[in-house]
Amino acid sequence: MGTFFKLMVVVTLFLASSGASVFGYSEQSKKGETSQAKGQQTISKSSEYHETKKRQAVQDKTTSSESTSLHIGSTQAKTITEESTASTTTPTVEEPVAATQATETQQVMQLKINGQFISYTNAGQENGQAIIDANPNEGATWGGVPTQSGQDNANTHFIGHNPGIFKVLFSLNPGATISVTDVTGVITHYHVTQIVTVDDSGYTSAGKYYWNQITGTDGGERITLQTCINADYNLIVFANA
């Protein structure tokens, strides 16, 4: 081969090699640019995604805050409504109810002794003892005027049992009031003047005699009440109108 031909071959190879290099560089550049564009596109999408997430988070927070505010407002409104209702509601005031007390009226032929009502029978000495023996919750007349009256200016003698309805005599003291209604319902008030203890014959332990005063009719408008203390002694209460 001549020198010229060799030179041409070398130049041709060089040019071919340079072209391939240039072409390769160009392709690589194009690929690099494509990759860079894709990378930028990816970054741009990622940024847009993050921006979208941020905006959504801000919106969710705002919505939650509004919802909370609405809830709080609702609670406050409910509280205000309840307070308004409470303030405008007139409390019910219960009027004090007057206590009703049963007042028992004294009936005809009754004694009222220390608040206790005792029915009696006008019996006299003939039947008085038998009546109280049959009913220890009832009294009877025995001595004095057998029919009690607050207008006869005389003594009426009442007897009753202890234990029994006349046990109340032991609660009396001089000055106490004893009220007696007669057969017509007229009430006479007597006041205790004396209380003594006598035996069955009318004598005190000191020997003073009271039998005539107990069973007699003189002495003005008065009553005498008698009950047993024991088998030997009796309690005697004298009361004058």
Side-chain angles (χ1 to χ4, degrees):
M1 299 175 68
T3 302
F4 178 77
F5 179 75
K6 289 182 179 179
L7 182 59
M8 290 296 292
V9 171
V10 170
V11 171
T12 300
L13 292 172
F14 175 78
L15 291 173
S17 175
S18 298
S21 298
V22 171
F23 178 78
Y25 174 78
S26 177
E27 290 294 328
Q28 288 177 355
S29 297
K30 290 181 178 180
K31 289 181 179 180
E33 291 174 355
T34 302
S35 298
Q36 184 177 2
K38 289 182 178 180
Q40 291 177 350
Q41 186 176 5
T42 301
I43 292 171
S44 177
K45 289 182 178 180
S46 176
S47 298
E48 291 178 356
Y49 172 78
H50 287 295
E51 287 295 325
T52 301
K53 293 293 288 182
K54 287 180 180 180
R55 286 195 298 273
Q56 184 175 358
V58 171
Q59 184 176 2
D60 291 342
K61 184 176 180 180
T62 302
T63 302
S64 175
S65 176
E66 291 175 353
S67 175
T68 303
S69 299
L70 288 173
H71 177 70
I72 293 173
S74 175
T75 304
Q76 291 174 344
K78 182 179 179 182
T79 303
I80 292 171
T81 301
E82 291 177 349
E83 290 177 352
S84 176
T85 302
S87 62
T88 57
T89 302
T90 303
T92 302
V93 179
E94 294 184 359
E95 294 293 335
V97 179
T100 56
Q101 297 181 346
T103 55
E104 188 174 354
T105 303
Q106 188 170 349
Q107 305 298 318
V108 297
M109 299 179 67
Q110 278 190 334
L111 299 96
K112 184 180 180 182
I113 304 174
N114 201 13
Q116 183 174 342
F117 294 97
I118 303 170
S119 296
Y120 72 89
T121 299
N122 289 315
Q125 295 184 16
E126 184 177 353
N127 298 313
Q129 187 66 46
I131 288 173
I132 66 171
D133 287 345
N135 184 3
N137 291 319
E138 184 178 0
T141 63
W142 194 82
V145 178
T147 299
Q148 192 278 334
S149 174
Q151 301 175 4
D152 59 8
N153 199 35
N155 175 50
T156 298
H157 175 223
F158 293 90
I159 60 173
H161 276 305
N162 169 52
I165 203 66
F166 265 25
K167 182 180 180 180
V168 69
L169 297 185
F170 291 90
S171 67
L172 296 177
N173 292 301
T177 300
I178 300 173
S179 300
V180 183
T181 51
D182 61 17
V183 293
T184 63
V186 175
I187 300 177
T188 303
H189 302 290
Y190 300 88
H191 303 284
V192 176
T193 57
Q194 189 178 9
I195 300 173
V196 297
T197 299
V198 299
D199 60 19
D200 290 340
S201 298
Y203 287 92
T204 66
S205 58
K208 188 173 181 177
Y209 184 69
Y210 279 96
W211 188 252
N212 290 336
Q213 187 178 346
I214 294 170
T215 60
T217 58
D218 59 347
E221 185 59 48
R222 64 187 184 91
I223 57 174
T224 305
L225 298 93
Q226 177 179 341
T227 192
C228 296
I229 295 175
N230 51 43
D232 299 319
Y233 287 93
N234 303 276
L235 183 71
I236 307 297
V237 176
F238 298 107
N240 287 60

